[in-house]
Amino acid sequence: MGGTDNIKQRLRSAAQTLDLVIEDDEIEALLAYLRQLERWNNTYNLTALRDPEHMLVQHVFDSLAIVQPVQDILDKNTVVAPAIADIGSGPGLPGIILSIMRAQWQVRCVDAVEKKVAFMRQVASVLRLSNVQALHARVEQLEPLQADLVVSRAFASLADFARLAGRHVGPGGTLLAMKGREPVDEVRALHEETEWRVDHIQALAVPELDAQRCLVWMSRQGNL
């Protein structure tokens, strides 16, 4: 993956590509997150990606790519101190990355796998992220979180995501699914089977990643 200076420069370049302002302390926190993930992954198999190079691009850059789109939707909805829930967060993706980049966002990362929650809690402690909480639970068994935004990265189909996680979205809030190519069949099933509707689908260009990515923004029927 190259030395520390190389990674820092790539982070700065990625942020610039994404029209994202990134501070030196945020770069240091992202580096520390990567180091922790690589170390824990050797023992606990937190992610299928073993190569630190792949972790940087497919995990960190991929998560960074949604920071400004999320900021834009929260600004549009005039949410000042938002509550965000990351469902099926795994090792904190995108939740930990969001909490690093936006200290004013209160982020709850939910996962049913205990070792992944333990990792997120360790990272939050090491990086002193007071705005993130890791919850060990199945999403369907949690008390409603009343979040302004509920996000998921490859957690389930759109319809299953809406059924399982939709109740954690507060009034007027938004569901956000991070996907690869545009999920046409999933959108059809979502509209046929749930009260949720796709507001819009936003193409996403992740720095250094040669793959299709998009964001699927959803609102309850009648709230569009």
Side-chain angles (χ1 to χ4, degrees):
M1 188 166 65
T4 299
D5 288 343
N6 173 262
I7 302 169
K8 287 182 178 179
Q9 183 53 46
R10 288 170 67 188
L11 282 165
R12 290 191 183 95
S13 178
Q16 185 175 21
T17 300
L18 297 167
D19 292 324
L20 192 62
V21 175
I22 191 165
E23 305 293 345
D24 287 345
D25 60 338
E26 292 165 348
I27 288 176
E28 294 297 335
L30 292 171
L31 283 171
Y33 171 81
L34 273 171
R35 287 193 293 267
Q36 290 286 327
L37 181 58
E38 185 179 359
R39 186 177 302 124
W40 275 62
N41 205 45
N42 288 334
T43 303
Y44 296 105
N45 194 30
L46 300 176
T47 167
L49 298 182
R50 314 300 299 180
D51 185 346
E53 176 73 30
H54 293 160
M55 291 180 186
L56 175 66
V57 176
Q58 296 183 45
H59 286 339
V60 175
F61 287 177
D62 191 54
S63 296
L64 282 175
I66 79 165
V67 175
Q68 194 57 52
V70 169
Q71 182 75 70
D72 291 343
I73 202 75
L74 293 172
D75 288 346
K76 178 182 176 182
N77 294 340
T78 63
V79 182
V80 179
I84 295 173
D86 176 13
I87 304 300
S89 188
L93 299 163
I96 293 290
I97 306 303
L98 296 181
S99 71
I100 288 172
M101 296 302 298
R102 293 291 184 269
Q104 72 273 28
W105 295 355
Q106 296 300 313
V107 182
R108 280 173 285 190
C109 299
V110 181
D111 205 278
V113 180
E114 189 170 5
K115 64 184 179 182
K116 294 178 180 180
V117 175
F119 169 75
M120 290 189 283
R121 288 173 177 166
Q122 171 69 9
V123 166
S125 175
V126 169
L127 301 186
R128 298 181 180 178
L129 299 173
S130 60
N131 63 327
V132 65
Q133 180 184 14
L135 303 175
H136 178 220
R138 297 187 66 84
V139 61
E140 65 269 25
Q141 296 172 346
L142 270 178
E143 290 295 317
L145 296 174
Q146 294 294 303
D148 299 295
L149 176 80
V150 174
V151 61
S152 174
R153 184 174 180 260
F155 170 69
S157 70
L158 294 179
D160 285 344
F161 178 40
R163 276 191 290 264
L164 291 169
R167 66 192 186 87
H168 295 295
V169 180
T174 303
L175 269 178
L176 172 60
M178 300 171 66
K179 291 285 184 178
R181 64 178 65 250
E182 187 171 324
V184 177
D185 291 341
E186 290 186 28
V187 170
R188 185 181 304 111
L190 175 81
H191 291 175
E192 290 174 353
E193 300 169 16
T194 79
E195 66 173 342
W196 291 84
R197 297 293 178 266
V198 171
D199 188 0
H200 65 286
I201 297 177
Q202 180 178 0
L204 202 62
V206 177
E208 299 188 30
L209 183 64
D210 184 20
Q212 288 185 309
R213 298 290 284 153
C214 70
L215 300 179
V216 183
W217 298 91
M218 294 164 279
S219 300
R220 287 186 181 89
Q221 189 172 16
N223 283 1
L224 299 183

